[in-house]
């Protein structure tokens, strides 16, 4: 799976147990792929010294107003976070 | 007298209270670190001097390194372009060892202000800025920077007009971030060496801006 820059995506809204590097506050939120930053080993497996799969890592940009209901109204402020491909749903 | 306290028994000759000795019992994790380190040395994975060398290397890095990169980017538009495209390889041109770290440099403009945080732990561009300040690792900064960055910035003394877009970058995985601060207009005549001195640590995290001189 290769997602091109500018694609609108959704972060999966799940809470599996263990070491996760997808912060809670972006799960289930809609964002835009800013860029792919490369392929990296999955930290969810690395954390337990398991053989890790390699996944593409994307910088995803969210509108602050989509993340926080009480954010400054009509603001164009954004938040970028790095998200592994297995957390991303194409919509 | 400024130091005229009543209870002189607990004061040093300077008039200040004595500081407590830093000899608390070891915590669980401190003990774990020492045990693992000694075990690794015993097994010949690395030596004690190698550990000291690594600590010295870590201590030798400081915001002056990041400032050198920023000043070059201000002076040399081609370097700036390369820095924004691939932060690590551009920094290596100036002999800064970036190692396995991937560096994303984000540029402040009159319309955009960038702010760096790591909500999950305390990821920080140590190879260019040295050790992070204590507040960078606090839950307060980490939780509030992503939720109310403008209020956090105000508390750092940075007031932005509403028309400036704030871009927060949460360092959640393998990237490290450095802000390329906005160069003050009044510095047009300054040399690269002079410019380096103006670039503060906070301006490269985004919790500061560089004032006009």
């Amino acid at each position: 799976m290769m997602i091109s820059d500018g694609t609108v995506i959704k972060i999966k809204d799940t809470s599996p147990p263990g070491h996760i590097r997808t912060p809670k506050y972006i799960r289930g939120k809609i964002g835009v792929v800013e860029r792919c930053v490369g392929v990296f080993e999955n930290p969810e497996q690395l954390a337990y010294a398991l053989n890790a799969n390699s996944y593409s890592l994307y910088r995803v940009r969210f509108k602050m107003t989509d993340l926080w209901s009480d954010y400054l109204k009509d603001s164009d402020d954004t938040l970028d976070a790095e998200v592994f491909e297995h957390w991303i749903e194409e919509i | 007298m400024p130091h005229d306290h009543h209870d002189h028994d607990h004061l040093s000759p300077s008039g200040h209270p004595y500081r407590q000795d830093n000899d608390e019992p070891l915590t669980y994790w401190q003990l774990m670190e020492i045990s693992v380190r000694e075990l690794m040395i015993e097994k010949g994975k690395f030596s004690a001097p190698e550990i000291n060398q690594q600590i010295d290397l870590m201590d030798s890095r400081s915001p002056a390194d990041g400032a050198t990169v920023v000043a070059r980017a201000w002076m040399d538009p081609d370097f700036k372009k390369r820095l924004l495209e691939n932060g690590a390889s551009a920094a290596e041109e100036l002999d800064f060892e970036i190692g396995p770290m991937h560096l994303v440099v984000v540029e402040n403009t009159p319309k955009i202000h960038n702010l760096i945080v790591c909500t999950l732990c305390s990821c920080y561009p140590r190879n260019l800025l040295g050790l992070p300040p204590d507040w960078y690792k606090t839950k307060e900064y980490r939780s509030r920077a992503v939720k109310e960055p403008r209020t956090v910035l105000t508390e750092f003394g940075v007031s932005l007009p509403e028309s400036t877009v704030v871009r927060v970058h949460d360092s959640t995985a393998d990237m490290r971030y450095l802000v390329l601060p906005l160069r003050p207009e009044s510095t047009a005549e300054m040399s690269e060496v002079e410019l380096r001195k103006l670039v503060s640590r906070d301006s490269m995290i985004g919790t500061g801006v560089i004032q006009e001189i």
Side-chain angles (χ1 to χ4, degrees):
Chain A
M1 178 174 81
M2 183 70 206
I3 311 170
S4 46
D5 299 356
T7 306
V8 179
I9 54 90
K10 186 177 179 182
I11 309 301
K12 285 184 188 163
D13 191 7
T14 58
S15 298
H19 178 82
I20 294 168
R21 298 207 66 89
T22 305
K24 181 88 177 162
Y25 70 89
I26 61 169
R27 293 185 212 160
K29 304 292 182 183
I30 305 246
V32 176
V33 170
E34 193 259 349
R35 70 179 102 156
C36 179
V37 288
V39 174
F40 295 89
E41 289 185 292
N42 181 10
E44 292 161 26
Q45 293 161 300
L46 283 180
Y48 302 99
L50 300 171
N51 287 328
N53 297 97
S54 290
Y55 290 131
S56 292
L57 181 65
Y58 294 91
R59 275 171 47 78
V60 180
R61 180 164 294 171
F62 304 88
K63 289 176 71 175
M64 283 290 193
T65 48
D66 287 342
L67 297 180
W68 316 108
S69 56
D70 56 351
Y71 203 83
L72 192 66
K73 202 169 171 290
D74 299 327
S75 173
D76 289 327
D77 293 355
T78 59
L79 179 126
D80 293 11
E82 298 148 43
V83 185
F84 280 92
E85 62 173 89
H86 62 289
W87 276 90
I88 293 177
E89 288 174 351
E90 293 194 69
I91 49 173
Chain B
M1 280 170 62
H3 296 304
D4 192 11
H5 296 276
H6 291 294
D7 188 0
H8 291 270
D9 292 348
H10 299 106
L11 298 180
S12 75
S14 71
H16 293 280
Y18 283 108
R19 229 183 128 146
Q20 282 211 327
D21 292 341
N22 187 13
D23 289 320
E24 299 294 313
L26 293 173
T27 64
Y28 175 84
W29 292 110
Q30 285 172 322
L31 203 57
M32 176 76 90
E33 182 274 320
I34 294 167
S35 311
V36 172
R37 171 157 44 89
E38 290 184 349
L39 196 61
M40 297 289 257
I41 292 169
E42 230 174 82
K43 285 180 172 285
K45 296 288 178 193
F46 44 69
S47 67
E50 279 173 331
I51 294 179
N52 286 337
Q53 262 174 19
Q54 198 59 37
I55 293 171
D56 286 345
L57 178 65
M58 218 183 276
D59 280 346
S60 71
R61 294 172 181 140
S62 81
D65 298 348
T68 301
V69 174
V70 168
R72 172 62 61 89
W74 283 348
M75 294 298 275
D76 179 347
D78 291 332
F79 176 78
K80 179 171 128 179
K81 192 164 173 281
R82 293 195 295 279
L83 185 69
L84 294 173
E85 275 168 12
N86 184 334
S89 68
E92 276 161 10
E93 288 177 35
L94 303 183
D95 291 331
F96 292 114
E97 197 197 320
I98 301 298
M101 183 175 85
H102 293 249
L103 182 70
V104 175
V105 178
V106 287
E107 184 186 15
N108 281 355
T109 71
K111 298 272 171 221
I112 295 170
H113 184 90
N114 293 282
L115 178 69
I116 310 304
V117 63
C118 173
T119 53
L120 299 175
C121 45
S122 56
C123 299
Y124 188 75
R126 290 169 185 236
N127 291 48
L128 284 178
L129 297 186
L131 295 175
D134 285 346
W135 56 257
Y136 186 83
K137 299 182 276 185
T138 59
K139 277 189 186 154
E140 167 136 2
Y141 177 73
R142 285 157 48 208
S143 57
R144 294 181 58 216
V146 294
K147 195 167 191 300
E148 42 177 25
R150 287 176 183 270
T151 312
V152 171
L153 285 169
T154 308
E155 290 167 19
F156 274 95
V158 179
S159 50
L160 299 170
E162 262 189 41
S163 58
T164 300
V165 172
V166 174
R167 281 191 187 156
V168 180
H169 303 269
D170 188 355
S171 210
T172 45
D174 293 78
M175 301 296 115
R176 299 293 175 270
Y177 294 88
L178 186 82
V179 175
L180 176 59
L182 191 59
R183 178 177 176 172
E185 282 175 18
S186 53
T187 64
E189 303 299 317
M190 288 176 83
S191 73
E192 191 172 325
V193 175
E194 289 171 317
L195 287 170
R196 284 178 199 159
K197 294 179 189 150
L198 293 183
V199 184
S200 65
R201 177 196 67 198
D202 283 9
S203 74
M204 293 181 279
I205 304 174
T207 48
V209 290
I210 303 168
Q211 304 296 331
E212 293 290 340
I213 49 166

